[in-house]
Structure formats: structure tokens, C-alpha cells
Amino acid sequence: MMTDEPRSLPPRHGRLWPVFVPSALLLLAAIGWSGFWFYATHEVDAQFQGWQEREAKSGRVYDCSRREIGGFPFRFEVRCADPTISLAAQTAQQFASKIPLTAKLSEILAVAQIYDPTRVIAEFKGPATVEETGQAPFARANWSLGHASAAGLPSVPKRISMEFKDPVVERFVDGAAAPFFSAKQVEWHIRMVEGEFNDHPVLESVLRSEDASVQGVHPVLEAPFNETLHVKLRGLTDFAPKTWPERFREIRANGGGIDVTESRIQQGETIAVAAGTLALTPAGYLEGQLQMTIAGFERIVPALGLEKALAEGAQPTNVAPGVSSQDVNKMIDSLDRIIPGLGRVARKNANAGLIAGLNLIGQQTTLENRPARAITLRFVDGAILLGPLRVAQTPPLF
């Protein structure tokens, strides 16, 4: 009896498309992402050029010897080699002289993540030099770390922050570098807190410095100090491209001003805090009052050198506009009405006499659990007045 042998089945070929399809989809996704990234970098470059044009209309011209765009695949990088920043008409003096200042750096690197292109982080590489355009540099700056961040791009930044660690600024005197400014850290923050870009924006600015020292300006600034200055700027019409003197003139026309919400300086055992509102005169000078409280008041007078105002024949530059040296001497004479003969003794010790005289102006109080004096600091045509004494002069803002 014959039996049928089992028939052999034809060989089965495995299906390969499940292997190739995911790879093909991944390849297509990579090509699509690459196309999107290169398109987006073109837009980033266009936005950068638009920002440059806008800043130029405001008197700030930014340029690079070479600009590169990278960061593929997940972020955008704009690298600016040998950047130059030319500032024209940014102060009242510049506005009148028409002489621009030029700052030159080593490199600026700006980075934005592809998932959040409205937040930009920039890093600055020093050293930087500052010059009047076409002239030899008059200052040089360097730092261990310098960076900034901006939020709200590309329309307009709604918040900007800058921070420099270990900044050092030198100025050139007769061709030699001399120290001018140094600090452990300096940071500056500015943001829009009210209004809109085109509808009366209100700006809030905070400046902080740690272990700062300024050389060659006034002895009181040479010892290290910590400082915080918190202000609000009211009266802007919009953020259309303008120079700062034009903006300050606009603030004055709109009845705006500068609200000093917090000012604190500590130098050794001396602490001073102040707050108040300042306006602008028709000539662009600051005017108004700050209510100041000082702990360690007795250290301020010799540091400022105000005792010179008590010397016989004191120069008018030591006193407020419209106040003669006789007015200053009257302050010391008033000590005689408290204790007969005290004024004569005070004149032999100008520091003690001026301290006692200024104490008559202020009120005794406490600051951070320490004895202190509360005094009104007045601004009259840009002059800063401590009682009847002019201690400094601020420049016009337009």
C-alpha cells in the first residue's frame, strides 16, 4: 500500500515593511525638523536685523564683524564676533554735541530655545573698550561673567535683566590705566509693570551692587559699599524708537516723573535709606524731595567734606543755590541759642559743629534697631541739598 509523502510548503518570505516604515518616518521627521529649523533661523536673522534697525532709530547702533547662526537641532544661537555698540544722543551732553560713543567687545552670544523663542539669553565676553568715535579709548572694562536675558521678544522686551560678576572699569589718564570702578557683582533689572507697549507704559527698574567702589570721584565713594536702587518711571507715551533725552522730555511734558520706591546704601557701619518722588524742570534738571534716614550720621559729614562749608569765607559752591556762606554760619550760630558758647566751640571743630547743626534740621529716629536721623534730601535745579548745603550736582536729563 502506497502512502502519500507530505508535500513541502513553499518558503515563507518575512514582511520587511514593519522594519522600514518606522525608519522612513523617522527620516521624514528629521528632514521636516531640519527644514523647520532652517526656516526658523531665517526668521530669527530677520528679527535680529529688524531689532538692529529699531535700535538705530533710537541712537544705538549694533554691528558685528561676523555674524553666525547655529544651535541645531533644539535651539537658536546668534554669535556676534567683535561687536561694536555706537551710542549717539543718549545723554543731554551727547544730544548737544552730536559726538557718539563707541564700545567694542570681544563677542556676544545670544541663545533661545526652540520651544521658547521669546526668551533670549546673551553672554558678553570682555574686555570692552569705550571711546569717542574715531578717538583713542578712554575707558576699559572686564568681568569674570557677564550675561543678560530678555523676555517678550520679538515685538519688544517686557523684561530685561543684566548681571556682571567681578566687573572692573579702568579709565585712561595720560595714556595710563587708572582704577575707576570695581564690584563683586552688579545687576540691573527692568520691566513693564503698567500700560501697554503703545499706551503709556510704566517701567520698573532695580539696580543692585555688592562691594562696589568708585575711585577718583569723591572720597566717600572709595570705601566698598552695597547699594539697592528701586525706581518707577512714569510719563512715557509709548515705546516708539526715541533717544533717552527725547523720552525724558516726553516724561516732563506728560507730567510724569521718577518714583524712588527704595534706595538703600550701606558702607561699613553707616546705612542710609531714602524714598520719594522726583520731577523734571523745563531745563531737564531733577527737582523734588527724598525722605532719607541715616544711621551713622556722624560719619557722613567728614566723609563728604562738608566741614569746609563752615570755614570763614566759605565758597558759594559749598552751599545751595541762593544760600550764602552766612546762611550756613547762621546754622552754627543757632547752637548758641541752645547752649551759650556752643557755636564758638563748634567753629573750632567744624565736623562737630556741622553735625550738631544738621541734627537740628532732622529728627531723631531708628533704622534697623539703631539710632538714626530722618532728614529731607532736596533736589533743586539738579543740586542735591542736605539742609542748606549743596553736596552734589546732577546733570540735566535733556
Side-chain angles (χ1 to χ4, degrees), residues 96-107:
S97 67
K98 307 298 182 184
I99 299 177
L101 295 180
T102 299
K104 298 179 180 180
L105 289 79
S106 297
E107 182 183 81

Side-chain angles (χ1 to χ4, degrees), residues 72-296:
F72 181 83
F74 297 119
R75 65 182 190 175
F76 305 116
E77 293 181 356
V78 178
R79 190 180 300 273
C80 178
D82 302 320
T84 60
I85 306 171
S86 181
L87 305 176
Q90 298 303 299
T91 66
Q93 183 179 2
Q94 266 199 316
F95 197 85
S97 67
K98 307 298 182 184
I99 299 177
L101 295 180
T102 299
K104 298 179 180 180
L105 289 79
S106 297
E107 182 183 81
I108 298 177
L109 174 63
V111 177
Q113 302 297 332
I114 200 167
Y115 56 82
D116 187 11
T118 61
R119 177 176 171 80
V120 177
I121 298 175
E123 182 176 337
F124 309 101
K125 290 186 178 180
T129 59
V130 184
E131 64 186 46
E132 289 187 349
T133 303
Q135 303 297 318
F138 63 81
R140 178 176 59 203
N142 211 342
W143 48 88
S144 62
L145 176 64
H147 59 86
S149 65
L153 295 174
S155 56
V156 68
K158 292 188 176 180
R159 183 176 67 255
I160 298 175
S161 296
M162 301 184 71
E163 181 179 2
F164 291 88
K165 293 185 180 297
D166 305 311
V168 175
V169 180
E170 299 172 311
R171 55 183 176 181
F172 296 107
V173 180
D174 297 328
F180 175 66
F181 174 82
S182 64
K184 183 178 180 180
Q185 178 172 310
V186 174
E187 56 183 276
W188 176 62
H189 309 273
I190 185 169
R191 62 173 181 155
M192 186 168 60
V193 292
E194 297 178 30
E196 298 294 337
F197 171 63
N198 289 318
D199 184 16
H200 298 89
V202 176
L203 300 182
E204 180 183 62
S205 174
V206 179
L207 177 66
R208 295 190 183 95
S209 60
E210 183 179 352
D211 289 342
S213 174
V214 181
Q215 307 292 320
V217 176
H218 196 287
V220 74
L221 300 176
E222 294 180 359
F225 60 89
N226 296 335
E227 169 268 339
T228 298
L229 179 62
H230 187 172
V231 302
K232 284 186 178 180
L233 198 61
R234 299 176 290 100
L236 292 169
T237 300
D238 52 35
F239 266 135
K242 298 169 190 162
T243 64
W244 274 106
E246 291 172 323
R247 292 193 191 281
F248 282 120
R249 189 175 287 109
E250 180 180 271
I251 289 172
R252 203 269 170 184
N254 292 336
I258 303 171
D259 295 335
V260 181
T261 57
E262 177 191 11
S263 175
R264 185 184 190 278
I265 299 177
Q266 180 168 1
Q267 187 180 61
E269 296 299 316
T270 302
I271 302 174
V273 299
T277 298
L278 301 176
L280 294 169
T281 68
Y285 288 101
L286 292 172
E287 66 174 359
Q289 295 183 351
L290 298 181
Q291 301 304 316
M292 174 175 281
T293 304
I294 303 175

